[in-house]
Each structure stands twice: as structure tokens, then as C-alpha cells.
Amino acid sequence: MNPGELLEISGYFWKTCALHAAVKLDVFTVIGDAQLAGEEISQKLGGSQRGIERLLNGLAAMDLIVKIDGKYANSPAGKTFLAKDSAKYIGHVIMHHHHLLESWSQLDQAVLSGRPVRNRASFSDDEWRESFLLGMFNLAMGMAPKIVPLIDLSSKRHLLDLGGGPGTYAIHFCLNNPILKATVYDLPTTRPFAEKTIKQFELTDRIQFAEGNYLNDIIERQYDVIWLSHILHGEGPDDCRRIIKKAVNVLEPGGMIIIHDFILKNSMDGPLFPALFSLNMLLGTDSGQSYSEDQIIDMLTAAGVKDVHRIAVQSPNDSGIIMGKA
Ligand SMILES: C[S@@+](CC[C@H](N)C(=O)[O-])C[C@H]1O[C@@H](n2cnc3c(N)ncnc32)[C@H](O)[C@@H]1O
């Protein structure tokens, strides 16, 4: 790697911060379908023309907006993914990333102490929790249509979406499997987000929300399939084993348990996203981490799960699926 490439990595946060500021100020929604002068955009945003024009020129240099005859318009990506009125808006997960920035700037301290430097988003204030949960919805809306067709649940009747957040995966599993019902189990503070999302997809008759803490509370009734997506990385190995055991205890004989998470190779030094995500868990949890394929397989096997295997998934952030039977 040459100095230029090293400095590109070192300075990448300039681009990150320009994008975050634009989403936070809602620049893309304000521009909409129009071509606007910097002065007009500054007036609509209620900010200084000096600052806002400089941001607009930076965004144009990043191809996030385009400058035509001195006026600014949305790029296709800006309009599709960054304007709030688009069904494909991903600004919630970008705001979630924005909330993580301060802690990432203190990574050296977390590395030395081995301790987190921020609160967990699930247990944080309303604004953080909202962008976290809606951010999870943004991410899962991209992944669920790819994952759900890979798993045959056509004969299953009741899925437990453990730590299901806004319920995006439960929703997509139900949309794809007409006889399936689902329970989204999550903390009480998640209920309004899940219920709103389930209603949006007109699935209130098939998907219910159950309040609970999977570390401390019991899980009620029995299920023939249990889906754990992106919850193991928030906990240490002992708690992961407890959660998996708890799940297996409410699985009918022959039922399926499916883990979806960012999975490291067994040497733990890649792929890139799970390796960096593990640092994110160091910054924000007491004992969370990314796990390797062997570690997840061992946890499932220790809980008595049989036929444990990984299925191939195409994912931009190297998430993977490992599943087995009770
Ligand atoms: C990273 S999100 C994953 C959401 C969803 N499964 C997905 O993949 O989109 C983790 C979820 O676990 C929930 N959670 C965290 N700790 C929990 C606990 N102790 N008991 C129940 N839910 C918990 C959070 O509220 C959040 O919805």
C-alpha cells in the first residue's frame, strides 16, 4: 500500500461527514425534483449560504448531487436513497452511523481498556433508538428479499423472530409463506416501531409482538422455526449460548433454528465488514463481538442442534446464515 492509499483511508471521514451532514440537514429532500440555486437551498434550510454552498459543491464532487448551470439537482442515488419521500430511503441507517462517530473517534481508549465508550443503541435515548431501529429496517429491506427465498418455510406454521426489531424479516418470511404466522420478540421500547411496520405491510392478523428481554425473561409457547438475526453479535459467548439454549427449548422437535449475522472466517481476520463490526461492538457493548463460523457452529451444537450447516448468501456486508434442526 502506498502513502496515497494510506491517506485515502485516513481521510475517508471527510466524505462520511459530508454525507451525514447532508442527510441530517435533509438536503436531498429539499432539492427533490427541482434544480435550485445555492441561495434558494440555503433559504429553505434556514442556514448560511457560505456554509451550505460549500457543502453542496462537496456533495457534487462526490456525485451525490449534480451542478448544472450553477444550480443543484439530485443525482439518481440522492433522489432514490437519500430523499425522505422515497420508499427506498436509507437515511435512518446513515443517521445511526452518525451517532456512532463520536465513539469511533475514541477507539484507542476502548482498545486499551477493552471497555465500551458509548451506550447500546437499543437502550439509548429516543432519537438514537429510532434511527437504530429504522436503520435496521433500511438494512433488512435490502437483505430480506434476497435471503427469504433461500429458506424453505413452506410447511412451517409459527416463526419466532427473536430480537426481531421492527419485524422486517418476520414480515418477509410471512409474505413468502402464506400459512406462516410470526411472533416478533423484542424489548418493550421496540413495540411501536414493530407494530407500525407490521401494519404498513397489512400483516397484523398474522404477526404479533411479544415484549421481553431474551437474557432475563422466559420465552412463551412453542415454535417450529426460530430466526435470530443480528442479535448474537451484541452479546458475549456465554450469553449467546444461553440465548441459543433458550431458543432451542421452545423449538418443537424437528423445528429449525436459523442464525443470521456478520460471520468472520475462522482465523478472525476477515472478511473486512465483520472484522470492523467487531470493533463497533467493542465500542458499544460489554462483551459483544463478531463470531466466526466455527464459533457459531459450536454454540448450536452445544445446544443439541443437529444438521448444522451454512448456506450461501450474497450480501454486501458479509452477513451469512448458519442453521440446524432441533
Ligand atoms: C441489531 S438489531 C436486529 C434487528 C433484526 N433482528 C434485524 O436483523 O433487522 C438487535 C435487536 O435486538 C433487540 N435486543 C437487544 N437486546 C435485547 C434483549 N436483551 N432482549 C430482547 N431484544 C433485545 C434490539 O432492541 C434490536 O431490535
Side-chain angles (χ1 to χ4, degrees):
M1 206 179 269
N2 61 43
E5 289 164 321
L6 290 171
L7 291 179
E8 191 185 341
I9 297 175
S10 171
Y12 215 90
F13 71 98
W14 291 5
K15 288 186 189 170
T16 303
C17 290
L19 172 62
H20 290 188
V23 170
K24 195 170 178 181
L25 296 172
D26 214 8
V27 169
F28 305 94
T29 315
V30 163
I31 296 177
D33 290 319
Q35 279 187 26
L36 300 175
E39 192 181 353
E40 287 173 276
I41 298 174
S42 308
Q43 275 166 10
K44 284 177 188 281
L45 292 175
S48 99
Q49 192 173 336
R50 174 174 184 265
I52 286 166
E53 280 201 11
R54 209 159 300 183
L55 176 64
L56 292 168
N57 287 329
L59 296 173
M62 289 165 68
D63 294 328
L64 292 174
I65 58 175
V66 283
K67 192 169 185 181
I68 308 158
D69 298 333
K71 293 191 168 186
Y72 301 93
N74 265 319
S75 66
K79 182 155 172 41
T80 311
F81 303 116
L82 302 172
K84 265 194 183 137
D85 46 9
S86 164
K88 294 187 174 171
Y89 179 68
I90 58 161
H92 299 295
V93 71
I94 291 173
M95 286 312 297
H96 169 58
H97 287 163
H98 182 60
H99 294 145
L100 304 179
L101 262 181
E102 196 182 338
S103 63
W104 272 89
S105 73
Q106 298 162 40
L107 182 58
D108 55 327
Q109 292 169 35
V111 165
L112 287 181
S113 68
R115 303 293 312 143
V117 295
R118 64 165 194 260
N119 288 330
R120 282 185 71 164
S122 333
F123 302 94
S124 202
D125 68 31
D126 288 352
E127 190 200 334
W128 277 47
R129 196 171 48 249
E130 178 171 1
S131 50
F132 171 63
L133 289 171
L134 296 180
M136 294 307 108
F137 176 71
N138 286 164
L139 293 177
M141 282 298 285
M143 282 307 294
K146 290 183 199 155
I147 288 178
V148 163
L150 302 176
I151 302 168
D152 181 10
L153 299 186
S154 54
S155 63
K156 301 294 178 201
R157 285 164 288 109
H158 203 145
L159 172 135
L160 173 65
D161 188 353
L162 195 61
T168 329
Y169 285 101
I171 289 167
H172 280 84
F173 279 121
C174 283
L175 290 174
N176 222 44
N177 295 280
I179 62 166
L180 188 70
K181 293 192 171 181
T183 297
V184 177
Y185 181 107
D186 208 292
L187 300 167
T189 42
T190 304
R191 181 189 279 280
F193 298 95
E195 289 188 341
K196 190 171 168 201
T197 316
I198 294 163
K199 198 168 168 204
Q200 259 171 21
F201 285 84
E202 298 180 357
L203 285 167
T204 40
D205 54 334
R206 289 169 61 200
I207 307 180
Q208 59 174 0
F209 184 85
E211 286 181 5
N213 180 323
Y214 48 57
L215 292 174
N216 307 329
D217 300 336
I218 53 158
I219 303 173
E220 285 182 352
R221 59 163 297 152
Q222 293 265 302
Y223 301 88
D224 53 4
V225 52
I226 303 186
W227 168 254
L228 297 85
S229 173
H230 294 318
I231 65 167
L232 294 187
H233 64 230
E235 316 298 338
D238 291 344
D239 282 335
C240 287
R241 282 201 185 82
R242 275 201 309 132
I243 294 167
I244 290 175
K245 188 80 195 138
K246 227 181 229 193
V248 170
N249 285 345
V250 293
L251 202 50
E252 288 172 4
M256 282 162 86
I257 177 163
I258 314 166
I259 310 279
H260 174 228
D261 220 318
F262 308 120
I263 303 178
L264 283 168
K265 56 185 175 177
N266 291 329
S267 56
M268 312 291 275
D269 56 345
L272 180 63
F273 190 89
L276 294 181
F277 192 81
S278 213
L279 287 173
N280 194 39
M281 291 297 96
L282 176 74
L283 290 165
T285 66
D286 286 332
S287 48
Q289 62 168 91
S290 300
Y291 291 99
S292 70
E293 180 174 319
D294 273 359
Q295 285 176 315
I296 296 174
I297 291 174
D298 282 352
M299 289 173 192
L300 287 166
T301 310
V305 179
K306 297 187 269 299
D307 301 335
V308 179
H309 61 284
R310 182 166 181 173
I311 60 169
V313 184
Q314 293 287 338
S315 157
N317 52 17
D318 297 303
S319 70
I321 289 176
I322 298 178
M323 57 198 278
K325 280 189 199 151

